[in-house]
Amino acid sequence: MDVSESLKSLYTAPIEQADGTHQITVPEREIAAGTLAEGETYRIALISTDSDTDTTEPDPDHELDHTEHQPEYDGPPVTEGEHRDVEIKHLGDQGDGIAKVEHGYVVIVPNTNVGDCVTVEIQQVRENVAFAAVVDHTL
């Protein structure tokens, strides 16, 4: 499956019934990291965790590119001490730069502006966000 650059978050959650409706719970860490904001509206895609049992035919008018298997999420795509070249795409509520790497994983980079292309050193890694420091502004 092609993953859109507009992908904001990727997590696993059960569908639960409550008061005659069905709900998917958004983990607090997604709100805390600034990946998603309370009160905003998002388009979601549901991907079966067992693609071998999915016998439904894809809707040809649907905008996603369907394939047989979704790659497994094996945790953060970065490690502490790693150097990465990133482009700052957004600014967070606190003014820190936000870059995204594989699977929409968020890297927060202080002292940067939207459009900066920088080399960073990953300093702290969490499940859904990493914190980095700029090591070179000249990309």
Side-chain angles (χ1 to χ4, degrees), residues 58-63:
D59 178 357
D61 296 326
H62 196 276
E63 64 186 78

Side-chain angles (χ1 to χ4, degrees), residues 97-108:
I98 298 175
K100 292 189 180 181
V101 295
E102 293 88 11
H103 309 293
Y105 185 82
V106 173
V107 178
I108 297 176

Side-chain angles (χ1 to χ4, degrees), residues 22-116:
H22 290 81
Q23 301 172 355
I24 299 172
T25 301
V26 175
E28 179 61 34
R29 68 179 183 266
E30 299 297 327
I31 305 299
T35 308
L36 304 175
E38 187 173 338
E40 294 293 323
T41 301
Y42 298 94
R43 179 180 293 182
I44 64 168
L46 301 176
I47 302 168
S48 174
T49 58
D50 186 3
S51 62
D52 293 337
T53 61
D54 185 7
T55 58
T56 59
E57 290 295 318
D59 178 357
D61 296 326
H62 196 276
E63 64 186 78
L64 292 178
D65 177 24
H66 297 275
T67 59
E68 290 287 322
H69 299 284
Q70 169 70 13
E72 292 293 321
Y73 180 70
D74 294 328
V78 297
T79 57
E80 289 182 11
E82 176 181 0
H83 284 207
R84 282 282 187 122
D85 294 333
V86 299
E87 181 178 352
I88 304 303
K89 296 287 191 173
H90 308 281
L91 291 181
D93 293 341
Q94 305 300 315
D96 294 328
I98 298 175
K100 292 189 180 181
V101 295
E102 293 88 11
H103 309 293
Y105 185 82
V106 173
V107 178
I108 297 176
V109 187
N111 304 315
T112 56
N113 296 304
V114 172
D116 286 355

